[in-house]
Amino acid sequence: MKHARNNELADRRSAAADAKAALLTAYRAAKTAAEPLQAAKQAERASLVEAREARRAERDRLKGEERTRREALATQEQAAIEAAAAAEIEARQAAEKARISRVVEDEAARKAERDRRYAARKARQA
């Protein structure tokens, strides 16, 4: 556009207003033309969000199942450890009782042997 040196203020203002009106008209036309595309993009975004939420829910469910499985396994291991400890304590107690009974039997056998020798000595003396 040529810039004429003798532009009046009113001419410049009307040219600016015309330019603004043209820009506004172009913007409205572009917005109207892009509306179906924008709706499609919005629908695509919504489907992506739904898919992401579904994947997150599945991941959370799998994590929950894994956590439950690990807890069950840990519980089983703890029960096995406790059972082994109880069996070891029981075995120690049984061994201790057996040792005590052997000591008592040995003591009784020694006493019986001593009494027999004493009786034999008294019998020889008499």
Side-chain angles (χ1 to χ4, degrees), residues 5 106 113 122:
R5 295 225 180 240
D106 289 347
E113 179 62 25
K122 285 294 181 182

Side-chain angles (χ1 to χ4, degrees), residues 10-120:
D11 293 337
R12 289 192 311 257
R13 286 182 74 185
S14 68
D18 291 343
K20 260 189 188 177
L23 282 174
L24 184 60
T25 308
Y27 170 74
R28 285 185 181 150
K31 186 176 176 183
T32 306
E35 229 173 72
L37 181 62
Q38 188 175 4
K41 282 184 180 180
Q42 191 173 4
E44 182 182 355
R45 286 184 192 129
S47 67
L48 288 175
V49 167
E50 289 175 6
R52 185 180 310 123
E53 287 296 321
R55 287 192 309 268
R56 186 183 59 75
E58 179 67 16
R59 191 171 51 244
D60 290 346
R61 185 186 63 80
L62 291 176
K63 282 182 182 179
E65 289 177 358
E66 179 66 19
R67 186 181 316 114
T68 303
R69 187 187 65 78
R70 285 183 183 174
E71 288 173 356
L73 187 60
T75 303
Q76 289 175 351
E77 288 176 357
Q78 184 64 28
I81 290 171
E82 289 174 0
E88 183 180 342
I89 289 172
E90 208 172 294
R92 284 182 187 171
Q93 289 174 347
E96 182 69 19
K97 286 180 184 177
R99 187 180 65 78
I100 289 172
S101 66
R102 280 194 314 268
V103 167
V104 169
E105 288 172 1
D106 289 347
E107 191 67 32
R110 275 191 296 245
K111 186 175 182 183
E113 179 62 25
R114 187 184 70 211
D115 289 347
R116 185 193 60 78
R117 284 193 315 254
Y118 180 76

